[in-house]
Amino acid sequence: MLVHNWREVLKRAWSIRVTMLALLYIIYLPANIALVLLAYAMSPFLAAWSMKHGPVLPGRWRWFSTLNADLDCYIPQKVVGFDPAARGFKIWWQRTRWTWRNPCNGWQSELLGVEEIASAFTFKRDLPLPFGFHLKLWLGWNSIKRGGNYYPYMFQIGPKRA
């Protein structure tokens, strides 16, 4: 009888934990959207700043980009259209596009992230669409640390080319 009661207590505690995380996720959503929009707006300026100081943004400014790569990350990944010999306007444009691709990864990890993924939720689905596209639907916290010390907050919904 006692074991049964402990199981009920643990079930309720887990249910409360999941509810609290869902509420936390919903509370973080407006902050995340505002920070991502700010990153989109600031990315041309951050790319310009990087032209003078190098492809790694200094200090907390790095939160507007990825923590595990610099602003030239498309070049080492050999992505078509990103020129390793780019200079001037072309490298500025590549760095702007990289920040648009990964806006606020640092904020999402360090500010909105969670320390332990076992207690968080992750929902990742890529649903097929016609004409070679899929719908990317990622909610919760990413189960993979992408730089930084925490599991990053995720909110990605949109069509992508398959």
Side-chain angles (χ1 to χ4, degrees):
M1 187 72 172
L2 184 62
V3 171
H4 177 69
N5 289 340
W6 276 107
R7 286 183 185 164
E8 282 299 315
V9 168
L10 290 175
K11 277 185 186 178
R12 285 188 181 169
W14 180 254
S15 176
I16 291 169
R17 175 74 177 152
V18 169
T19 302
M20 294 302 290
L21 277 169
L23 288 173
L24 184 64
Y25 184 84
I26 291 167
I27 290 168
Y28 281 174
L29 186 60
N32 182 60
I33 290 170
L35 292 170
V36 167
L37 291 173
L38 183 62
Y40 281 132
M42 288 182 57
S43 62
F45 303 106
L46 295 172
W49 189 10
S50 76
M51 298 296 291
K52 182 172 178 141
H53 300 288
V56 177
L57 296 173
R60 298 288 186 218
W61 291 103
R62 186 131 189 227
W63 283 4
F64 283 99
S65 184
T66 54
L67 295 176
N68 63 346
D70 63 23
L71 294 178
D72 292 333
C73 196
Y74 268 134
I75 293 170
Q77 291 178 7
K78 297 183 173 137
V79 174
V80 175
F82 285 79
D83 181 6
R87 299 283 180 263
F89 177 79
K90 192 171 186 180
I91 194 75
W92 170 84
W93 182 238
Q94 288 178 179
R95 290 175 179 179
T96 300
R97 287 173 37 207
W98 176 254
T99 306
W100 286 343
R101 180 184 182 270
N102 298 294
C104 286
N105 171 261
W107 288 102
Q108 291 166 340
S109 179
E110 296 295 317
L111 186 66
L112 306 179
V114 294
E115 290 184 33
E116 190 175 317
I117 196 64
S119 63
F121 68 91
T122 298
F123 181 83
K124 288 184 175 183
R125 296 290 183 272
D126 292 326
L127 308 171
L129 296 173
F131 309 111
F133 286 88
H134 67 271
L135 179 66
K136 184 176 189 175
L137 182 60
W138 289 11
L139 305 171
W141 284 269
N142 197 336
S143 58
I144 301 169
K145 289 182 183 180
R146 303 272 186 198
N149 301 317
Y150 302 97
Y151 295 94
Y153 183 89
M154 290 189 308
F155 179 77
Q156 296 183 26
I157 300 173
K160 301 286 181 184
R161 186 169 290 280

